[in-house]
Amino acid sequence: MKIDILTVVPDLLTSPFSHSILKRAHDKGLLTVRVHNLRKWAINKHMQVDDYPFGGGAGMVLMPEPLANAIDELQQEGKYDEIIYMTPDGERFNQKAANQLSLKENLLIICGHYKGIDERIRQRYVTREISIGDYVLSGGELAAAVVVDAIGRLIPGVLSDETSALFDSFQDNLLAPPVYTRPADFRGDKVPDILTQGDPKKVEDWRHEQSLTRTKERRPDLLEE
Ligand code: ADE
């Protein structure tokens, strides 16, 4: 999968994709993330990419020309399956959206900054608008990192144990069960017997039951979906 990200603050995105699972995805040739500085397509020598909002009001708006020129140029390499704009008024990101997007080949993610991007770019180019939650970040960069991380680990072949993503929280609308590792007795707190008795069927049933209990207690809304 190839993911291009357009941003005015590329430095915010230098590290998140160079570690752990996403680094492995990159090293295995399964995921390429390219971060593009929107200022490369600035409209003048002052590197301008934003301007005051028509009608007044606080904050700056990313101008349509730099964004359109950037997208047009990037699209010359091939069309995107989705052009995603990160914005608090987008659809709420969840595991289902991550699953869907992990099956795509080419994504472009546009990060807003300041007051956002000119509406005409949303109408003309953007195919999907995503929010990572009901709060406002200073820009879309950290949100984009969240989305790329959630998608990247789902790309087939990225996780060494292919099945492990299947048991993540939210797959099947259930939270994950509790997990334990050694020692079996930590300061008197013991691991549930079932996990040390070596009966895989009983372990599976126990985990499912724990998932259900946890979901009922913490996120009953998931069970209603
Ligand atoms: N940009 C600013 N806030 C955001 C949010 N909550 N989700 C996605 N992009 C954003």
Side-chain angles (χ1 to χ4, degrees), residues 39-198:
R39 291 196 196 276
K40 185 177 159 199
W41 292 275
I43 57 157
N44 54 29
K45 64 177 190 313
H46 308 293
M47 305 302 265
Q48 187 181 358
V49 290
D50 58 356
D51 210 334
Y52 295 100
F54 276 121
M60 302 293 270
V61 177
L62 290 180
M63 304 170 84
E65 288 98 332
L67 282 165
N69 289 337
I71 299 168
D72 290 345
E73 185 178 324
L74 291 171
Q75 289 218 109
Q76 280 172 12
E77 287 177 28
K79 261 195 80 67
Y80 291 105
D81 298 318
E82 299 273 13
I83 297 182
I84 298 166
Y85 172 47
M86 303 308 305
T87 173
D89 59 10
E91 60 169 296
R92 182 91 64 84
F93 190 60
N94 59 18
Q95 195 65 35
K96 187 167 161 231
N99 288 337
Q100 285 169 356
L101 291 172
S102 74
L103 301 173
K104 308 284 183 187
E105 283 299 319
N106 286 299
L107 300 177
L108 173 64
I109 302 181
I110 301 170
C111 303
H113 222 80
Y114 320 116
K115 274 284 159 207
I117 67 174
D118 189 283
E119 183 66 20
R120 290 163 291 184
I121 292 295
R122 296 172 75 160
Q123 313 237 319
R124 196 182 272 248
Y125 289 99
V126 170
T127 58
R128 198 156 178 173
E129 303 191 322
I130 294 180
S131 161
I132 62 162
D134 290 344
Y135 39 82
V136 178
L137 302 165
S138 344
E141 288 77 14
L142 298 181
V146 166
V147 167
V148 172
D149 188 296
I151 298 172
R153 59 194 296 286
L154 295 173
I155 298 170
V158 168
L159 293 179
S160 46
D161 178 355
E162 269 270 46
T163 57
S164 64
L166 295 176
F167 298 106
D168 284 346
S169 278
F170 305 112
Q171 302 286 1
D172 299 331
N173 272 4
L174 287 179
L175 298 182
V179 292
Y180 298 86
T181 185
R182 281 186 290 187
D185 183 335
F186 169 66
R187 300 181 183 174
D189 291 342
K190 301 205 174 53
V191 168
D193 286 338
I194 252 177
L195 297 178
T196 55
Q197 285 163 352

Side-chain angles (χ1 to χ4, degrees), residues 1-4 25-26 29-34:
M1 178 189 289
K2 193 183 91 186
I3 303 180
D4 286 324
H26 177 266
L30 297 169
L31 174 65
T32 306
V33 181
R34 299 189 306 177

